Amino acid sequence: MRDRLLTFAAAVAALLVAFIFLKPPHDDGHKELSLPTTEDAGVEGLKALKTWLEQGGIPLLSLRKRYPELANSAALAESGNLLIVSLPFSREALRSEWQALIRWIGRGNSLLILGHAYNRQPWSGTDDCLCDAVRLLKDLEWKLTKLMPERAKGENDRGGIQQRIESLQSGLQGVKPVVTEIFPLTAISLTKEVERLESRMMPALLDETWHLSTASDQLALRAFTTGLDRTVVWQIEAGEGRIFLSLAGDIFSNEMLNRAGNARLFKNLLSLTLARDGRVIFDDYHFGLSDLYDPEQFFRDSRLHRTIGLVIVFWFIYVLGYSNRLAPVRAKKAKVSVLDSVEAMAGFFAGRLDKKMVARELTRHLLQDIRLKRHLRDEEAVWRWLERHPQILDNQIDLMREAAQQRCSRLNLLTDTLSNIRTKILS
């Protein structure tokens, strides 16, 4: 019993050591981020939008591959689809993806860009949250630029400590998101029956103005604006398709979808873009959901954890099983076979017999087998028969005669010769 307790303690210690070395680093105070995906039920997720569309019978697709898959997927119609893209990505998009996306839009599909320009998101690794949108629009001959507010020179150096404290407090309040109302600017199909939208925005970012322009004859409509006359939503013509650019990235999130006219705006989008056989496509790939191998998703899978747990349980059963791991090793009794006896006897004689005598006996043994096989009268008749055989060489016969007269000690050569003759004559 004591041995089993020691074995159990050693197994637990080994398991703890393995856990310490394999355990991922602890993320102090950081909970999992809410991302704009169809599986995220957090404030920024799009699970509520997906559920609402499913209940309405709208065909959906969660895109979990890169954008070239849009043209290769058999589940998608050639045109009349709506792709929802949130920016910035948590997983970088390739240049080739944007080219494939432009070709897909040009065939008569639509793109909804939900850009978080007025609200910084924790998954964004850069302040330029619309750099991908700027690059895409540039390829379509559109220019999206950000105009920074003008500030008085030396503003931060003027005033006393109290004014600086008040300025700092004001700055902290400016980066705290607040619910902001957005109003329709023009009476178009996109704004139909939408009196206002709501989005969580940072007041400090509302000082920035985004401007969309082009040198071509393409059309872009300003659809929604804030009370500060900042354009928030554009409707842009792009070949046979359309692009809807929203600088309020959370208007269709789980938290904001049911506010004001946000849901009504999405219904208007569907009526403008979705064909009878079209689908609403959610870009989940660039936020970590992938049909390809994803190590983070693999290690989060509960099936992996259950498998590891079962392996540990069976390992403990094996360690603490009937066989005592601390018992002395017993030497296994060897069982002597017939082959072992023959090999031992052959080794004994091989070490004590003269090589010339062995050569003579091997040759005589072959001559005896030939005589019986060919029904010859005596050994001399065997020699004459060998000399007349067309396949037996003279040097082979000479070597056999030397061995028969006990004058040959080249056992390796003799053995090969006898084996060759036996194969040709007796086989």
Side-chain angles (χ1 to χ4, degrees):
M1 185 64 183
R2 181 181 177 183
D3 289 344
R4 296 191 184 280
L5 291 176
L6 291 175
T7 303
F8 177 76
V12 172
L15 191 63
L16 289 176
V17 170
F19 178 77
I20 291 172
F21 280 103
L22 297 178
K23 179 180 177 295
H26 181 62
D27 192 9
D28 296 327
H30 293 283
K31 62 180 181 180
E32 189 174 355
L33 297 177
S34 177
L35 298 174
T37 69
T38 55
E39 292 188 2
D40 197 306
V43 294
E44 299 295 340
L46 298 177
K47 188 173 183 178
L49 178 59
K50 175 193 174 185
T51 304
W52 177 48
L53 294 177
E54 285 177 338
Q55 292 174 351
I58 305 298
L60 306 177
L61 175 66
S62 172
L63 183 64
R64 304 196 177 190
K65 295 183 179 179
R66 296 191 182 273
Y67 291 149
E69 182 65 18
L70 293 169
N72 302 328
S73 177
L76 292 177
E78 185 76 10
S79 61
N81 303 289
L82 172 63
L83 172 64
I84 303 175
V85 173
S86 298
L87 294 178
F89 293 143
S90 64
R91 172 183 289 174
E92 183 180 2
L94 304 177
R95 178 67 178 174
S96 58
E97 289 189 76
W98 295 116
Q99 297 299 324
L101 182 59
I102 289 173
R103 292 192 296 269
W104 183 76
I105 295 172
R107 292 188 330 207
N109 297 289
S110 300
L111 172 67
L112 170 61
I113 300 177
L114 299 175
H116 293 77
Y118 291 127
N119 189 1
R120 293 288 182 261
Q121 297 301 328
W123 69 78
S124 174
T126 174
D127 291 336
D128 191 0
C129 61
L130 291 183
C131 56
D132 289 323
V134 171
R135 185 183 304 117
L136 174 66
L137 293 172
K138 181 179 179 181
D139 291 339
L140 292 170
E141 300 182 1
W142 287 95
K143 185 177 182 181
L144 181 64
T145 55
K146 178 171 63 174
L147 305 178
M148 300 300 294
E150 296 183 0
R151 300 185 183 276
K153 184 178 180 179
E155 179 181 349
N156 293 333
D157 299 330
R158 193 171 59 242
I161 296 178
Q162 183 63 30
Q163 290 180 339
R164 294 185 182 183
I165 294 175
E166 291 176 357
S167 176
L168 179 60
Q169 291 175 342
S170 176
L172 293 175
Q173 290 297 323
V175 296
K176 182 179 180 181
V178 296
V179 176
T180 305
E181 293 184 334
I182 306 169
F183 301 97
L185 183 63
T186 55
I188 57 177
S189 299
L190 183 62
T191 62
K192 183 180 179 182
E193 298 182 12
V194 180
E195 296 182 358
R196 62 185 176 87
L197 305 175
E198 288 187 1
S199 173
R200 294 179 65 84
M201 298 182 177
M202 295 180 178
L205 297 179
L206 287 174
D207 292 338
E208 302 171 353
T209 304
W210 291 85
H211 180 66
L212 183 66
S213 61
T214 181
S216 64
D217 57 353
Q218 299 180 97
L219 179 64
L221 299 175
R222 297 170 60 203
F224 289 89
T225 181
T226 65
L228 300 174
D229 197 25
R230 303 287 191 266
T231 304
V232 178
V233 180
W234 283 273
Q235 177 179 323
I236 307 168
E237 302 298 325
E240 298 295 325
R242 293 174 178 173
I243 297 177
F244 299 91
L245 174 61
S246 172
L247 304 186
D250 64 342
I251 53 177
F252 302 128
S253 66
N254 295 334
E255 182 184 23
M256 306 303 296
L257 178 63
N258 201 34
R259 287 177 175 263
N262 295 14
R264 178 64 200 186
L265 173 61
F266 197 85
K267 290 181 66 176
N268 293 345
L269 276 170
L270 294 181
S271 63
L272 286 173
T273 61
L274 207 62
R276 177 176 299 179
D277 54 350
R279 289 175 179 260
V280 176
I281 308 166
F282 293 88
D283 180 9
D284 287 334
Y285 174 81
H286 292 98
F287 290 94
L289 302 183
S290 174
D291 288 337
L292 307 176
Y293 173 71
D294 185 352
E296 293 183 2
Q297 187 174 0
F298 173 76
F299 286 107
R300 286 198 303 264
D301 196 325
S302 60
R303 292 172 295 181
L304 174 65
H305 302 158
R306 290 196 294 269
T307 302
I308 294 176
L310 287 175
V311 169
I312 293 174
V313 170
F314 281 112
W315 180 67
F316 268 110
I317 294 174
Y318 170 76
V319 169
L320 300 175
Y322 179 78
S323 298
N324 195 330
R325 301 288 156 231
L326 300 180
V329 179
R330 298 178 182 178
K332 186 178 180 181
K333 294 182 179 180
K335 294 182 180 180
V336 181
S337 63
V338 176
L339 179 61
D340 293 333
S341 300
V342 172
E343 288 181 348
M345 188 63 66
F348 174 76
F349 284 110
R352 286 161 177 77
L353 293 178
D354 182 67
K355 291 183 179 181
K356 296 180 180 179
M357 182 182 298
V358 173
R360 184 192 66 183
E361 294 303 320
L362 289 174
T363 303
R364 292 182 62 183
H365 181 67
L366 176 61
L367 294 175
Q368 181 69 13
D369 288 345
I370 295 174
R371 187 182 69 79
L372 294 175
K373 181 74 174 180
R374 299 299 176 183
H375 306 288
L376 300 175
R377 186 176 64 254
D378 53 19
E379 187 175 296
E380 190 61 32
V382 175
W383 284 112
R384 290 195 298 271
W385 183 85
L386 287 172
E387 291 173 350
R388 294 192 302 269
H389 199 285
Q391 293 181 310
I392 308 302
L393 303 178
D394 292 341
N395 59 348
Q396 293 178 325
I397 295 176
D398 294 340
L399 181 65
M400 290 176 61
R401 285 190 179 278
E402 291 179 5
Q405 296 171 8
Q406 208 168 340
R407 291 186 293 108
C408 176
S409 59
R410 296 176 292 174
L411 286 180
N412 290 337
L413 179 60
L414 177 65
T415 302
D416 292 340
T417 300
L418 297 179
S419 176
N420 181 267
I421 294 174
R422 184 180 294 275
T423 301
K424 294 178 179 178
I425 297 176
L426 301 180
S427 297

